[in-house]
Amino acid sequence: AQTVTQSQPEMSVQEAETVTLSCTYDTSESDYYLFWYKQPPSRQMILVIRQEAYKQQNATENRFSVNFQKAAKSFSLKISDSQLGDAAMYFCAYRRGGGYQKVTFGIGTKLQVIP
Amino acid sequence: DAGVIQSPRHEVTEMGQEVTLRCKPISGHDYLFWYRQTMMRGLELLIYFNNNVPIDDSGMPEDRFSAKMPNASFSTLKIQPSEPRDSAVYFCASSSSWAYEQYFGPGTRLTVT
């Protein structure tokens, strides 16, 4: 079974600084997708970024980027120029490819942004 | 599109009562998921449907929980009878075969006293 591990229950970062959230996963599949979701205090789950396993290039969305290390099964999220609105729970998630729809989520990392 | 719609947003009920949570997926999406989120267990998949048919209900905790999807635009999650340990946030999400990610509703916070 696939597992997703987030080993940092809480992180903090100064406003305008950079922070990296860690995620590792376990799978025997070669075709899969990885995601980072953000859950602010409003509870709404929002997709931040996704990475296709077959792509070697790391995904980037504005201030958010990932470091995808396929061999190490590592998928970290880097947030640059942190803003107060980035404060939230962040969930790493895995989905097998080939039309398989079930997603496995990590336990989450709570990010605090210090003004 | 209005996104995934869930109702009610908050539900407070007494132990033993029946609770029904509702979800309207994004139009055109053929997959629908029900999740439960608690501090202790994180985000758990309860059940998911494809084209209104339940595909995997292995996450449904016990017989007190049931879910239906009578048509492509509506699903319910029912708990009968409810217990205090059912208190959690319940999310509905939808996706389509050609999309990568799931789109979540705002969740229903359930409190069973």
Side-chain angles (χ1 to χ4, degrees):
Chain A
Q2 292 83 16
T3 58
V4 177
T5 302
Q6 294 179 251
S7 58
Q8 305 155 315
E10 294 190 27
M11 293 281 286
S12 62
V13 61
Q14 292 280 348
E15 197 175 1
E17 297 296 308
T18 296
V19 65
T20 298
L21 308 184
S22 301
C23 173
T24 58
Y25 58 95
D26 184 28
T27 184
S28 58
E29 304 292 329
S30 59
D31 179 22
Y32 54 88
Y33 304 93
L34 297 164
F35 309 89
W36 279 98
Y37 279 87
K38 170 186 178 182
Q39 186 180 39
S42 66
R43 293 202 313 255
Q44 182 73 51
M45 293 282 283
I46 303 163
L47 179 68
V48 174
I49 198 166
R50 73 163 186 266
Q51 174 79 43
E52 293 90 332
Y54 63 84
K55 290 186 176 179
Q56 292 187 339
Q57 187 173 6
N58 289 323
T60 299
E61 289 287 342
N62 300 313
R63 298 182 294 107
F64 298 85
S65 61
V66 299
N67 183 5
F68 174 47
Q69 300 290 326
K70 192 171 184 178
K73 296 180 182 175
S74 170
F75 183 61
S76 60
L77 175 69
K78 186 172 83 170
I79 306 174
S80 304
D81 185 25
S82 297
Q83 300 175 1
L84 295 178
D86 296 333
M89 284 288 289
Y90 287 82
F91 294 92
C92 180
Y94 164 98
R95 200 199 96 190
R96 208 173 85 183
Y100 195 69
Q101 291 288 329
K102 191 171 180 177
V103 174
T104 301
F105 287 85
I107 199 70
T109 296
K110 184 176 182 179
L111 178 66
Q112 179 186 20
V113 180
I114 303 167
Chain B
D1 198 316
V4 176
I5 299 172
Q6 289 187 248
S7 64
R9 294 293 308 274
H10 303 273
E11 177 78 35
V12 180
T13 191
E14 292 183 348
M15 182 174 63
Q17 296 297 307
E18 177 181 294
V19 175
T20 299
L21 310 181
R22 298 172 175 78
C23 175
K24 176 180 169 53
I26 292 173
S27 177
H29 281 189
D30 52 352
Y31 284 88
L32 184 138
F33 306 81
W34 282 102
Y35 290 91
R36 179 172 68 177
Q37 185 179 36
T38 61
M39 289 293 291
M40 292 298 294
R41 301 174 67 91
L43 200 61
E44 304 172 274
L45 176 66
L46 299 177
I47 185 172
Y48 78 93
F49 296 82
N50 177 219
N51 291 322
N52 314 336
V53 176
I55 302 301
D56 184 348
D57 65 353
S58 59
M60 296 287 263
E62 47 199 278
D63 292 344
R64 297 184 298 106
F65 286 70
S66 62
K68 293 182 180 180
M69 192 165 186
N71 57 63
S73 60
F74 183 66
S75 177
T76 59
L77 177 67
K78 186 176 293 186
I79 308 172
Q80 167 63 21
S82 58
E83 297 182 2
R85 60 192 168 119
D86 301 331
S87 297
V89 179
Y90 291 82
F91 286 99
C92 175
S94 70
S95 69
S96 67
S97 304
W98 45 265
Y100 294 106
E101 63 265 24
Q102 298 178 10
Y103 296 81
F104 282 75
T108 295
R109 180 176 293 279
L110 173 64
T111 303
V112 183
T113 60

